[in-house]
Amino acid sequence: MSYDVTQIANLVNDAASDSMGKSVSITNLDSTGLASLGKQLASLNLLDGWFGSLAKRIAKTVYFVRSYEGSTRSILRSEEEYGAFVQKVYVDMPDAVDNPEWDIPNQSGRYQQHSPFDVEGTVTVSAVIFGGKGTWSVEVIMPRTQIKEAFLSPAAMMAFIDKIYIQIENKYKKDVEALVSLACNTAMADALNGGKSRNLLTEYNQLAGTQLTAAQALRTADFLKYANMEIGRTVKAMQEMSTIFNKAGYATFTDESNLVVEVLDQYNKASQVYAESDSFHRELIALPRFESVTAWQYLGHDGKLAFADCSKIDITHDDINSGEAVTQSGIIAFVHDIENVAAYFGDRDTWELENPRDRVLIHGEHATKGFAIDGHANAVVFYVA
């Protein structure tokens, strides 16, 4: 689009459905967003004329509505409301050269100085522009007169309306949480496509001479200790200057305060149960930015939280894998620099308008998010397959 803004309402809904277990199967997301079972009021023919679910006279109404706080996973930090792009500058390290101080006198015994104007070494400076945003809206309409008939007092009616506002807020927070997951999953797809990943199960089977499946591995203490050790070694090695943990081959390091360690909860629980004496696991969860994630993208829809569902991503992006889908299951951990994936743009606008003719209130939320995936920052995906 000419404004570099994409309508992502369908993407937001699909991502939220996956993360809440509403989808029948995992959706390919393109990131380019009580004891009484109760009777349905419809069967009693006592419905209001608007929502079709409120009785006109109820002695007591109990609301099952809670305020939701979504997870930001170290992604939502500093978001710009103005401007279209963010420029990020990289500076390569210069090479070492001989020290001329020790070349006097020279090999022939002459005292010949070196001209300071003969220095020709330079540093390479490059820049990358990050831009592009996704936008969506949440809109509802609320009648005045029809709602009144469902309640016995203004206070009771306002209590109901307040719950509508809470659910609007919950929807927005869940949408943002789903987009944060989508951004992280896109970063994982980028790392996988860039060769910055390790299949720990294949490595272990080759070393141990075993043929464990992914399901068996999560119940095998020896494998869990090996996996924790290898993740722990990578966490330590990332803190030293190198070029081996990012797809751009950029010389950088990730100190502990900027290191994000995201671990699938099923793997985390397996480590606690089957390898509870493992010191590497204790060190991982003690890190300042350790995150235990229930599911990367898809919860499943039957409530069993199957490992095959929760550990899988299915991402398409025009700039990754030539626009072809990156699908990977068995992902147990994503270790990355805080700069590898971040929200660069974000805006939210709330509006409300009353139509006095129809006596209805229209409420809307406009939202915009723009994420950046930086291949110059360290990122490694660990999986079992």
Side-chain angles (χ1 to χ4, degrees):
M1 297 178 64
S2 58
Y3 292 103
D4 203 22
V5 175
T6 305
Q7 296 285 355
I8 60 169
N10 291 336
L11 179 64
V12 169
N13 290 332
D14 289 343
S17 293
D18 271 9
S19 67
M20 290 189 292
K22 295 172 67 176
S23 307
V24 176
S25 60
I26 191 170
T27 307
N28 175 260
L29 299 179
D30 189 339
S31 55
T32 311
L34 305 227
S36 169
L37 297 181
K39 288 182 176 290
Q40 295 295 319
L41 289 173
S43 64
L44 302 178
N45 197 28
L46 296 174
L47 301 181
D48 68 285
W50 186 271
F51 290 102
S53 60
L54 291 175
K56 293 185 177 180
R57 296 295 295 269
I58 297 290
K60 181 179 181 180
T61 301
V62 179
Y63 296 101
F64 185 51
V65 180
R66 299 168 181 159
S67 294
Y68 183 69
E69 295 296 335
S71 171
T72 62
R73 291 169 60 180
S74 300
I75 305 303
L76 300 182
R77 300 191 302 277
S78 176
E79 297 178 285
E80 301 297 327
E81 295 183 18
Y82 300 94
F85 301 99
V86 170
Q87 177 178 246
K88 201 168 187 179
V89 178
Y90 312 93
V91 180
D92 290 340
M93 291 189 296
D95 293 329
V97 297
D98 291 340
N99 184 353
E101 176 186 1
W102 297 96
D103 285 342
I104 302 175
N106 60 23
Q107 292 179 348
S108 61
R110 299 182 59 188
Y111 192 87
Q112 183 176 351
Q113 298 184 54
H114 300 81
S115 170
F117 303 106
D118 289 340
V119 175
E120 297 178 346
T122 62
V123 294
T124 301
V125 178
S126 59
V128 173
I129 299 296
F130 294 97
K133 298 181 282 288
T135 187
W136 76 102
S137 291
V138 178
E139 299 174 345
V140 298
I141 183 171
M142 294 174 282
R144 295 292 195 189
T145 303
Q146 286 88 340
I147 291 181
K148 284 183 179 180
E149 294 183 355
F151 298 96
L152 301 177
S153 68
M157 183 183 73
M158 291 309 299
F160 169 72
I161 293 176
D162 181 59
K163 304 309 176 190
I164 294 178
Y165 283 115
I166 289 177
Q167 285 294 61
I168 292 172
E169 182 69 14
N170 288 346
K171 170 61 176 170
Y172 172 79
K173 289 179 178 177
K174 186 60 187 179
D175 287 348
V176 171
E177 182 183 61
L179 290 179
V180 165
S181 294
L182 179 55
C184 288
N185 296 341
T186 303
M188 283 195 280
D190 191 43
L192 285 160
N193 186 63
K196 298 306 172 184
S197 62
R198 291 177 61 183
N199 186 342
L200 294 178
L201 181 56
T202 296
E203 293 178 16
Y204 177 81
N205 280 335
Q206 291 175 347
L207 287 171
T210 57
Q211 294 183 335
L212 293 178
T213 65
Q216 292 169 336
L218 292 183
R219 299 192 299 271
T220 303
D222 194 51
F223 166 77
L224 294 170
K225 290 179 180 180
Y226 170 79
N228 283 337
M229 179 180 68
E230 292 304 306
I231 295 172
R233 290 178 63 214
T234 301
V235 165
K236 178 65 176 177
M238 273 190 182
Q239 298 178 45
E240 300 179 13
M241 180 76 75
S242 75
T243 62
I244 63 175
F245 295 118
N246 61 81
K247 73 169 194 175
Y250 184 61
T252 186
F253 67 98
T254 304
D255 56 273
E256 195 171 278
S257 63
N258 289 310
L259 182 69
V260 181
V261 178
E262 299 185 304
V263 174
L264 188 70
D265 187 60
Q266 291 186 54
Y267 174 79
N268 187 39
K269 291 292 193 298
S271 294
Q272 293 173 347
V273 172
Y274 296 104
E276 55 189 7
S277 62
D278 184 26
S279 61
F280 287 103
H281 178 256
R282 292 198 300 270
E283 291 176 9
L284 287 178
I285 64 176
L287 291 170
R289 294 186 184 276
F290 176 86
E291 302 268 0
S292 182
V293 180
T294 304
W296 302 119
Q297 178 178 333
Y298 181 52
L299 271 178
H301 69 286
D302 56 7
K304 295 181 179 179
L305 302 176
F307 178 74
D309 290 331
C310 296
S311 66
K312 186 176 182 179
I313 64 169
D314 189 352
I315 299 296
T316 297
H317 192 288
D318 288 347
D319 296 328
I320 300 176
N321 196 32
S322 301
E324 296 296 321
V326 176
T327 303
Q328 182 63 60
S329 60
I331 298 174
I332 59 173
F334 181 37
V335 179
H336 62 95
D337 193 291
I338 196 171
E339 289 293 327
N340 174 251
V341 51
Y344 274 9
F345 294 99
D347 191 21
R348 181 185 181 184
D349 177 62
T350 299
W351 61 274
E352 205 162 69
L353 182 66
E354 186 165 7
N355 181 343
R357 184 179 182 186
D358 292 338
R359 298 190 70 186
V360 296
L361 183 68
I362 304 99
H363 179 93
E365 304 275 346
H366 293 157
T368 302
K369 289 292 177 189
F371 296 91
I373 312 298
D374 188 356
H376 290 74
N378 290 334
V380 177
V381 175
F382 296 91
Y383 64 98
V384 293

